[in-house]
Amino acid sequence: MPNIKSAMKRVKVAEKKTLQNSMIKSEYKTAIKKYETANANKDANASELLSKAKKKIDHASTKGVISKNAASRKKSRLEKKLAVKPVAKKATAKKETEKKETAKATKTTASKSATKTAKKSE
């Protein structure tokens, strides 16, 4: 144990930080394990657990528990393991809006051409 007051404080602060860092590390490791078990069982919520695990990894990265590169590597490896690919809701919604837009475009061009032919015949 140090004799100098500032050194004593540094020891206390280091112990606190070590506890906080180990808690954060434990959280992301638990999230990874939950995702891996769900993925191994091919559960439907595996993609949901993947996003939670990625969030925990990002949190650990921003707090300095792991480096940015390590976080990126871990997330990449988790994504590669995903067994059941999630159905993209946005992609289907995007296709539907595109269909509606093309239908509107054909209606407007049809109505324009009808008015042009009507004017020519007058």
Side-chain angles (χ1 to χ4, degrees):
M1 190 75 185
N3 294 328
I4 300 168
K5 189 175 181 180
S6 62
M8 288 182 208
K9 184 179 177 183
R10 285 284 115 218
V11 169
K12 287 181 184 178
V13 170
E15 287 174 356
K16 255 188 199 178
K17 279 298 204 184
T18 303
L19 283 174
Q20 288 175 342
N21 289 347
S22 65
M23 189 175 69
I24 292 170
K25 192 178 274 193
S26 172
E27 285 176 354
Y28 87 77
K29 285 183 176 181
T30 304
I32 289 172
K33 286 177 187 173
K34 283 182 182 177
Y35 160 71
E36 286 178 342
T37 56
N39 193 32
N41 297 334
K42 297 187 179 181
D43 289 342
N45 66 344
S47 60
E48 207 174 284
L49 290 172
L50 172 64
S51 64
K52 287 182 182 179
K54 286 168 56 175
K55 187 175 179 181
K56 293 284 186 185
I57 292 170
D58 285 334
H59 178 70
S61 174
T62 55
K63 293 294 179 183
V65 177
I66 56 175
S67 69
K68 287 181 184 178
N69 288 345
S72 179
R73 184 178 63 244
K74 287 179 188 299
K75 290 190 298 184
S76 176
R77 288 179 181 169
L78 289 177
E79 288 173 1
K80 283 181 185 177
K81 290 180 184 177
L82 187 60
V84 179
K85 301 293 179 190
V87 177
K89 293 178 183 177
K90 290 182 181 180
T92 56
K94 193 174 183 181
K95 287 179 184 176
E96 289 176 13
T97 54
E98 287 177 0
K99 287 179 183 177
K100 289 178 184 177
E101 288 175 1
T102 54
K104 284 181 184 178
T106 54
K107 285 181 183 177
T108 55
T109 53
S111 63
K112 285 181 183 178
S113 62
T115 54
K116 283 183 183 179
T117 55
K119 285 182 182 179
K120 286 183 181 178
S121 62
E122 291 176 355

